[in-house]
Amino acid sequence: AGGAFAALSLLPARGGEPGGGAAARQPRQALSSVMFAELPLKDFCAEAAKLAFKGIDLWSPYGECRHLAEAEELGAEGFKKLLKTHGLEVGAWTTYRTKGNQQGFPGFAEFIGACGGGVVVRESKYGKVGEEGLEAAMATFFEELKHEIELARKHKVRLAIENHSGAILDTLESFRMFTKLNPDPEVVGIALAPYHPQARKVPVEETIRACGNQLLFFYAWQKGRGTAQLPGHGPTDFKPWLQTLAEQKYAFWMTPFMHGELPVDEMAAAVTKAWKHLEPMRF
């Protein structure tokens, strides 16, 4: 028991503690590197700092984005030096399995651990499941995740599983089943992308409540096209979402997010508008 407790104490603490005092009790904004895929890592970090972000969501190879791979090439000490230069922290490490990254989190686990660990975002399991098969499918997913849970403990990581259309973590009932069956809530939780519940016409506030204290990362991301996916651009009122996060005592990072490519200057302007839209709403 003593060994298990010692291992647990090395994990990022629950509650989001990115710092101390009041700032630790509310989400801070991280910039997702995939939105600036064309920039080299060093230039992306400089851009994040210029846009007043204190954190980054660093993506592994995804489309044209290679930022996590570039960080690994710098080595842990080199990357930490780069972060320090720009006054940045890693709010999340995003490690989806793609054609450019077949291994997902395990392929970067040692490097992430050497950098101090943190929240690692990854996919659930694709394939639609009906209500009658949901419990068995979720139990199988967690069984298959055991190796990564062990790696997460070893490298001071929490795994945040992202919801997605066409995946087993998608419906409101699937969020409830996830939190019910989660074998290790101290290590495994949820990265919530509201775009997908909105697409299903499920209230995002209900989804946040379904995640409860297993919510580890939050995308300020609405259903829309182009920049209309971002806060302050599309029609969604984000205040009820943030109020619900406050009710749940959510204190990790959030990222104003969109998929799609824009020239760097246009993306920077769009993200700045989103950042300024969200900042006064923070609790």
Side-chain angles (χ1 to χ4, degrees):
F5 179 81
L8 183 62
S9 68
L10 293 174
L11 294 170
R14 183 169 294 284
E17 299 75 9
R25 296 192 294 272
Q26 57 184 305
R28 292 191 292 167
Q29 297 193 50
L31 184 63
S32 290
S33 74
V34 73
M35 294 162 64
F36 293 83
E38 70 182 79
L39 290 179
L41 174 64
K42 292 181 180 180
D43 292 345
F44 166 71
C45 289
E47 187 71 21
K50 185 175 79 174
L51 296 176
F53 285 85
K54 297 299 181 185
I56 56 175
D57 166 27
L58 197 68
W59 281 56
S60 64
Y62 184 97
E64 298 301 314
C65 185
R66 292 192 69 260
H67 293 136
L68 179 48
E70 288 182 59
E72 187 177 44
E73 288 166 8
L74 288 178
E77 294 308 312
F79 180 54
K80 285 191 280 188
K81 184 178 179 180
L82 177 63
L83 292 174
K84 186 175 180 181
T85 296
H86 296 290
L88 295 170
E89 302 173 44
V90 177
W93 313 81
T94 293
T95 61
Y96 299 119
R97 281 181 170 83
T98 66
K99 290 181 180 179
N101 174 25
Q102 290 293 316
Q103 288 186 298
F105 162 58
F108 292 98
E110 189 170 341
F111 170 71
I112 291 171
C115 291
V119 171
V120 169
V121 177
R122 58 148 289 167
E123 75 283 358
S124 63
K125 187 174 183 179
Y126 292 100
K128 292 187 178 181
V129 178
E131 278 192 32
E132 68 286 349
L134 179 60
E135 184 167 1
M138 194 69 72
T140 298
F141 168 71
F142 282 127
E143 183 67 26
E144 293 171 348
L145 197 65
K146 277 185 175 179
H147 171 62
E148 290 193 29
I149 292 174
E150 292 171 5
L151 272 182
R153 283 187 168 276
K154 179 180 177 181
H155 295 292
K156 297 169 286 186
V157 158
R158 277 185 167 162
L159 295 173
I161 313 303
E162 194 231 355
N163 59 295
H164 202 283
S165 59
I168 63 170
L169 187 60
D170 182 28
T171 65
L172 185 58
E173 183 56 34
S174 71
F175 282 95
R176 292 171 176 153
M177 189 64 69
F178 182 104
T179 57
K180 173 186 173 183
L181 297 184
N182 186 351
D184 206 336
E186 292 297 327
V187 178
V188 182
I190 294 169
L192 177 56
Y195 180 106
H196 301 299
Q198 275 196 316
R200 300 183 68 88
K201 303 190 184 309
V202 174
V204 171
E205 296 89 338
E206 286 188 35
T207 311
I208 292 170
R209 293 187 187 101
C211 295
N213 65 6
Q214 294 186 31
L215 183 59
L216 300 181
F217 194 67
F218 185 78
Y219 298 85
W221 181 24
Q222 63 186 300
K223 187 179 185 306
R225 293 186 176 183
T227 55
Q229 299 170 67
L230 287 165
H233 292 260
T236 296
D237 180 4
F238 278 74
K239 195 167 186 178
W241 297 5
L242 297 188
Q243 287 174 336
T244 308
L245 290 173
E247 292 168 8
Q248 300 297 309
K249 296 183 171 60
Y250 179 76
F252 291 92
W253 296 86
M254 66 178 175
T255 178
F257 190 79
M258 64 168 279
H259 273 308
E261 298 179 7
L262 291 175
V264 170
D265 289 348
E266 289 183 28
M267 184 66 82
V271 167
T272 297
K273 181 179 177 179
W275 190 97
K276 290 180 177 178
H277 181 77
L278 288 172
E279 193 65 10
M281 298 183 192
R282 296 196 319 153
F283 40 88

